[in-house]
Amino acid sequence: MVSVLQQQEHKPVLLHEVIRYLRCTPGKLFVDGTVGGGGHARAILEKTAPDGRLIGIDWDEEALVKARFNLQSYEERLVLVRENFALIGSVLARLHILAVDGILLDLGLSSFQVDEAERGFSFNLAGPLDMRMDTREKSTAAHLVNTLSEDRLAEIIWNFGEERWHRRIARNIVRARAEEPIETTDRLAEVVYRAIPAGKRPRQRHPATRTFQALRLAVNRELDHLQTFLQGALDWLKPGGRLAIISFHSLEDRSVKQTFANWARSCRCPARSPICQCEGKPLARLVNKKPVVPSESEIKANPRARSGRLRVVEKQKLHEQEEKKEVN
Ligand SMILES: C[S@@+](CC[C@H](N)C(=O)[O-])C[C@H]1O[C@@H](n2cnc3c(N)ncnc32)[C@H](O)[C@@H]1O
């Protein structure tokens, strides 16, 4: 087995854009909630030198081993924590930090997670059907595939994978597991492949792509964690602080887009409320109205960047008078 430090490097997506939009300048304090191998983190630490600080969070132990190795020259300005970013509040509380200048989430998987057969994320690599990013969790993809009802499997494959053949795939999974439990990525890929009629299989991608994506989202409860994070995220930003999120599929992006749009509205009272009770102040400002996407040249150099979408918001600055009160 290849050591985690020898695996291929993950190329950070939209790196220059993230650094520019987060306004990384000396002395600032940032959280990278998905530190991975430390690609974005390194650039943030460089731009905030000599005294800026970074808290790097990841729930994957191997990612943290990589980040610790890759970022060793910034050790004094860096804290790495194994945690779910949905629990950012308790991470900051443990470090006695009230608020930060910026937060980055770069959602999804690192290249080294996808490329390691033992992690079970790839239909191209034979391995155990695992797909857990946080290996402290009990439920693997094999557990879901071998225990959930046909209806529930179909629902997951449709909701998280938008796979039109979800019913046939779920039916085939249930039939196949009755013969023998489905324990490996290659067996599941084969079951999905056979479920889709020969003339209807997609040509541009592997027929199991959407099913694997759906199971990965379900195993790691990725949308739930993103939603929990979004509910509290503004509380951890200083006034004028920025939150940047890179998402890789439409379900995540929709969640981010809707939450940001809601923060930016001047009135957030329920539609039927007779009078405005929120005092008509937006909680945040949209820094970019449309998502920033990778350039042609970035996609050429790093095809995995192709579906990346960056959205950024800035927490509302305090009113001038409130600001004065704060200082006094
Ligand atoms: C796309 S990678 C980040 C790559 C990193 N920005 C870089 O440039 O090296 C996403 C990382 O987020 C982590 N991750 C995903 N969901 C998470 C969650 N809810 N809490 C903590 N880490 C998470 C994954 O384990 C993975 O290491």
Side-chain angles (χ1 to χ4, degrees):
M1 192 167 66
V2 189
S3 132
V4 69
L5 298 177
Q6 293 170 320
Q7 291 154 351
Q8 205 203 343
E9 279 306 312
H10 172 91
K11 292 195 184 87
V13 173
L14 291 163
L15 181 62
H16 302 295
E17 293 82 352
V18 164
I19 296 304
R20 185 155 60 85
Y21 279 110
L22 279 180
R23 294 188 304 196
C24 298
T25 49
K28 286 188 176 173
L29 171 60
F30 287 95
V31 171
D32 182 343
T34 51
V35 72
H40 288 103
R42 179 201 299 276
I44 294 173
L45 284 159
E46 273 168 12
K47 292 287 178 190
T48 55
D51 51 351
R53 287 173 300 143
L54 179 83
I55 298 144
I57 300 174
D58 206 294
W59 59 4
D60 181 345
E61 195 177 11
E62 288 191 353
L64 287 183
V65 170
K66 261 189 174 285
R68 197 158 283 122
F69 179 80
N70 290 340
L71 303 172
Q72 51 192 308
S73 47
Y74 306 96
E75 209 177 41
E76 285 163 12
R77 300 192 283 121
L78 171 71
V79 179
L80 291 172
V81 186
R82 187 175 185 197
E83 192 53 274
N84 184 335
F85 61 61
L87 300 177
I88 181 174
S90 58
V91 172
L92 294 182
R94 288 203 296 269
L95 297 168
H96 306 288
I97 292 171
L98 289 179
V100 300
D101 294 293
I103 304 174
L104 169 66
L105 290 189
D106 172 21
L107 299 168
L109 295 168
S110 288
S111 303
F112 56 84
Q113 292 169 316
V114 183
D115 295 340
E116 199 185 328
E118 287 76 17
R119 301 297 300 267
F121 289 112
S122 175
F123 40 77
N124 286 319
L125 300 168
L129 192 54
D130 190 322
M131 297 197 194
R132 287 169 302 163
M133 286 193 239
D134 184 347
T135 47
R136 295 169 297 190
E137 293 293 329
K138 291 221 163 53
S139 183
T140 62
H143 178 74
L144 298 190
V145 156
N146 290 307
T147 59
L148 294 182
S149 69
E150 184 178 323
D151 281 350
R152 183 70 187 119
L153 281 171
E155 190 179 71
I156 287 175
I157 297 167
W158 173 248
N159 286 348
F160 296 153
E162 293 170 336
E163 167 62 69
R164 62 185 283 228
W165 300 105
H166 55 289
R167 295 216 167 277
R168 288 176 67 112
I169 293 171
R171 200 175 314 133
N172 250 33
I173 288 177
V174 169
R175 272 194 208 137
R177 78 186 186 195
E179 287 164 24
E180 194 187 352
I182 303 170
E183 300 289 1
T184 60
T185 50
D186 46 339
R187 173 130 189 263
L188 178 64
E190 178 68 19
V191 169
V192 175
Y193 180 87
R194 286 181 186 283
I196 303 178
K200 306 283 183 184
R201 288 180 195 129
R203 297 214 181 98
Q204 310 292 345
R205 55 176 169 82
H206 190 290
T209 307
R210 286 167 179 260
T211 304
F212 270 64
Q213 173 192 295
L215 285 170
R216 190 200 94 201
L217 285 172
V219 167
N220 297 289
R221 298 183 22 239
E222 290 174 50
L223 293 170
D224 289 349
H225 295 317
L226 176 60
Q227 209 46 53
T228 307
F229 167 84
L230 287 170
Q231 272 161 22
L234 283 183
D235 294 345
W236 307 108
L237 280 177
K238 296 178 188 172
R242 290 187 171 189
L243 166 63
I245 304 189
I246 306 175
S247 52
F248 289 87
H249 57 77
S250 55
L251 296 171
E252 286 169 348
D253 187 53
R254 201 176 303 152
S255 221
V256 175
K257 182 181 167 184
Q258 283 171 357
T259 307
F260 283 12
N262 196 32
W263 290 342
R265 282 193 354 222
S266 53
C267 173
R268 287 171 313 286
C269 295
R272 278 196 234 126
S273 177
I275 50 163
C276 171
Q277 292 180 337
C278 68
E279 298 177 25
K281 283 188 199 143
L283 299 174
R285 174 178 79 80
L286 299 181
V287 175
N288 49 354
K289 298 259 177 323
K290 293 215 162 132
V292 180
V293 295
S295 63
E296 290 288 316
S297 61
E298 177 169 0
I299 296 172
K300 211 164 163 201
N302 180 18
R304 282 179 179 168
R306 69 185 173 278
S307 39
R309 291 172 150 243
L310 169 67
R311 294 187 189 268
V312 186
V313 277
E314 181 177 288
K315 179 167 170 172
Q316 205 58 274
K317 292 186 181 116
L318 292 176
H319 187 272
E320 215 182 323
Q321 285 189 340
E322 288 170 5
E323 238 161 2
K324 277 190 198 142
K325 232 190 284 168
E326 283 277 306
V327 173
N328 293 334

